[in-house]
Amino acid sequence: MTTYAKKTLLLALSAASVAAGLTVTGAGATAAAAQPMSGTPRLAWHPCARPDGPAAQECAELPVPLDYRDPAGRQITVAVSRIRSERPGARRGTLVVIPGGPGGSGVQRLAQKGAALQKETDGAYDLVAFDPRGVGASTTASCDLAPEDRYLTNLRSWPGPDGEITGNVARSRRIAQACARSGGAVLRSFTTDNQVRDLDRFREALGERKLSAWGVSYGTYVAAQYAQKFPERTDRWVLDSSGDPDPKRVARGWLANMSQGADDRFPDFAAWAAHQDREQEDLRLAARPEEVEPLVLALAAELDRAPRESTTTGAPLTGNGLRQVLQNSLYSDSAFASFARLVKAAQDPAHPPVLPPELAQPLRNEDAAVMVGVICNDVAWPRTSVASYQRAVDADRARHPLTAGMPVNVLPCSSWQTAPAQRPVRITDEGPSNILMIQNRRDPATPHSAALKMREALGDRAVLVTVERGGHGVYLGNGNACGDRAVTGFLTTGERPAGDIDCAG
């Protein structure tokens, strides 16, 4: 008998005396059966439908401990949301939607995907989500950063022209010092470990013995940690677009892998931008796909030397701005046209380019704090010398010119003032075989090669569905019927493919 099987048997025996008061997770379970466990706050639900979102969406506030080592101490608030099953007789449990990021809003994602998820699961679940600490209507923190330090091209630490990192080093130290000075205990609590514990607190407040889950991007790491810490509380678990869960690197590894992700994905854009159909839209960038990358790299280098004034006063289009928009555009085919338009505008000396929102204005202080806080709080980053970072950037720029060394550059985490409160959880194959992974072959943010590391860590617990196409996010996101069927079938029937499979693009 495995360690997990022994634990499961003991838990089953100890739970027998209290099972009558917990929510049934089989067919025919009803929302009325879900009552909060003893000592857990009740949720005061109220309507909170968003434009273009499900009319039945509700929201509430869940108090959680600032520090789970002191559960009776200071409490903060996590914003939670739900869409109840419209077919109580078909309901089998609760499905939590776990957003990406760090910094993604679960409440917003539920509004965006709730209707499609309702249709796919046909009343099998109450759908729920929450905004992690620091996000949306949950308790937030601020590092009180100056506006120039909150632009995405600075927080992402793009090197200067010719790869120099002097400005990145100074900014990273400045941000780390500001976060230590202004963020306080709330900012220090922004960790994956606390998000996992908040999720379990939410489960208790819902009165559920188990949850099903759909985690996307960084949300797959949250979901994997939850399945590692609380395997007996997982029902049907979907990991969509996973990264490498290496506990020694965590986000440092995710960022480094983006270099390969961009290389994997860019040929899709190049083929699109060179296709003859783009001629009619005035978006064709080259006659042949192999000419597109040199064109984009040359334009970025030109903008490094001489940024173009844009329609946003005080915010020119720089080479790093172009590179950042490219990274964002590789997430979805639907963004290809807007990037091609920006390239065309940058080539036209007669008209100033229009910057997309991610370049035109700095992030809010609260958004910058959670974006930096989680990755720096989760694991200790090496105190590497400036010369070592410069060598790493130089090497990565040579191997992966599209990302110009950004994924391995210095970040505030290297000057972070506090040590992690917990060690990252190592993901293992100990647990139930109830995980379905789904992954695009050419993912710019979480490349397939990195997802294979998650697959390897989970072992027989997981099955991987690979979709032969590009982009970030698969289920209900790219129109691949084979991939959608695999996830929907698993969530509604519990059936998975017998082994890893490929879906044609």
Side-chain angles (χ1 to χ4, degrees):
M1 182 178 289
T2 67
T3 301
Y4 174 76
K6 292 176 182 176
K7 289 179 180 178
T8 302
L9 178 59
L10 290 172
L11 286 165
L13 291 171
S14 64
S17 62
V18 296
L22 304 179
T23 302
V24 178
T25 56
T30 65
Q35 296 298 325
M37 298 177 182
S38 175
T40 303
R42 289 181 176 271
L43 297 171
W45 296 104
H46 61 85
C48 63
R50 300 189 173 203
D52 300 322
Q57 188 166 359
E58 299 176 294
C59 293
E61 293 184 346
L62 173 69
V64 298
L66 174 65
D67 186 344
Y68 277 94
R69 294 170 297 186
D70 182 18
R74 180 182 172 187
Q75 304 288 297
I76 59 174
T77 299
V78 168
V80 300
S81 187
R82 75 176 179 186
I83 303 170
R84 288 189 286 184
S85 169
E86 296 178 337
R87 299 177 62 224
R91 180 186 179 275
R92 66 171 311 276
T94 294
L95 171 66
V96 59
V97 176
I98 307 177
S105 165
V107 175
Q108 183 179 35
R109 186 160 182 82
L110 186 60
Q112 294 168 342
K113 296 293 186 179
L117 198 52
Q118 279 182 303
K119 182 179 179 181
E120 288 292 308
T121 57
D122 196 22
Y125 297 96
D126 287 345
L127 308 177
V128 302
F130 69 99
D131 284 348
R133 301 174 184 219
V135 177
S138 296
T139 298
T140 60
S142 171
C143 294
D144 290 330
L145 302 179
E148 59 267 25
D149 288 339
R150 288 186 273 119
Y151 279 94
L152 186 56
T153 47
N154 290 333
L155 286 170
R156 278 289 176 91
S157 211
W158 288 92
D162 301 320
E164 59 85 16
I165 67 170
T166 305
N168 303 127
V169 171
R171 180 177 298 108
S172 293
R173 290 173 177 165
R174 184 166 65 243
I175 292 173
Q177 291 166 358
C179 290
R181 184 171 57 248
S182 302
V186 173
L187 178 64
R188 291 194 296 274
S189 81
F190 295 168
T191 66
T192 301
D193 183 80
N194 278 334
Q195 186 171 340
V196 167
R197 294 184 184 279
D198 291 346
L199 173 56
D200 199 53
R201 180 85 163 171
F202 188 23
R203 176 195 61 78
E204 291 178 351
L206 292 167
E208 295 285 7
R209 289 180 63 187
K210 294 184 177 184
L211 292 173
S212 292
W214 172 32
V216 181
S217 192
Y218 165 69
T220 64
Y221 182 63
V222 176
Q225 276 214 25
Y226 187 95
Q228 190 68 38
K229 283 181 179 249
F230 308 113
E232 72 283 356
R233 301 171 192 174
T234 62
D235 187 9
R236 296 172 184 173
W237 226 240
V238 176
L239 307 186
D240 183 340
S241 306
S242 302
D244 183 351
D246 181 355
K248 295 180 180 179
R249 290 165 59 82
V250 192
R252 187 161 59 95
W254 304 337
L255 283 167
N257 286 332
M258 290 179 67
S259 298
Q260 185 60 54
D263 289 350
D264 292 345
R265 172 63 163 153
F266 189 83
D268 292 338
F269 172 73
W272 180 94
H275 197 278
Q276 60 184 9
D277 287 352
R278 305 288 88 78
E279 201 75 63
Q280 301 171 359
E281 309 162 77
D282 193 27
L283 294 178
R284 196 178 191 190
L285 301 184
R288 298 180 299 170
E290 57 268 31
E291 296 172 352
V292 177
E293 182 174 337
L295 180 152
V296 171
L297 293 176
L299 179 59
E302 180 182 336
L303 292 170
D304 281 339
R305 295 186 296 269
R308 284 284 316 276
E309 291 300 322
S310 73
T311 56
T312 302
T313 303
L317 176 62
T318 64
N320 284 337
L322 186 75
R323 295 181 184 101
Q324 181 61 62
V325 178
L326 171 61
Q327 300 313 303
N328 294 354
S329 300
L330 294 178
Y331 277 45
S332 172
D333 290 5
S334 63
F336 286 178
S338 61
F339 180 68
R341 290 191 191 95
L342 184 64
V343 170
K344 287 279 190 179
Q347 294 172 321
D348 182 0
H351 299 94
V354 178
L355 298 184
E358 64 265 32
L359 297 187
Q361 55 194 19
L363 275 68
R364 298 187 316 142
N365 250 306
E366 295 82 358
D367 297 334
V370 71
M371 176 179 167
V372 172
V374 174
I375 66 172
C376 297
N377 289 329
D378 264 5
V379 65
W381 290 54
R383 305 282 175 165
T384 307
S385 68
V386 173
S388 295
Y389 272 112
Q390 186 67 71
R391 287 193 294 271
V393 166
D394 291 344
D396 209 58
R397 285 169 63 85
R399 287 193 297 266
H400 309 285
L402 287 169
T403 46
M406 177 274 291
V408 299
N409 200 4
V410 64
L411 286 175
C413 308
S414 297
S415 300
W416 209 241
Q417 305 293 299
T418 54
Q422 301 89 16
R423 289 184 177 182
V425 171
R426 179 176 293 280
I427 306 304
T428 74
D429 59 0
E430 282 288 321
S433 184
N434 63 351
I435 299 173
L436 178 71
M437 294 178 60
I438 187 164
Q439 194 85 16
N440 284 323
R441 178 71 71 182
R442 299 180 301 282
D443 187 318
T446 54
H448 192 266
S449 54
L452 292 178
K453 299 292 187 180
M454 178 73 85
R455 174 70 184 86
E456 180 182 7
L458 290 168
D460 290 342
R461 299 180 68 184
V463 170
L464 173 63
V465 176
T466 297
V467 176
E468 299 291 341
R469 62 163 297 153
H472 186 55
V474 187
Y475 184 53
L476 306 183
N478 64 13
N480 184 270
C482 171
D484 286 352
R485 277 197 308 270
V487 176
T488 297
F490 174 57
L491 290 175
T492 55
T493 70
E495 296 181 4
R496 299 181 307 176
D500 296 351
I501 65 168
D502 285 2
C503 284

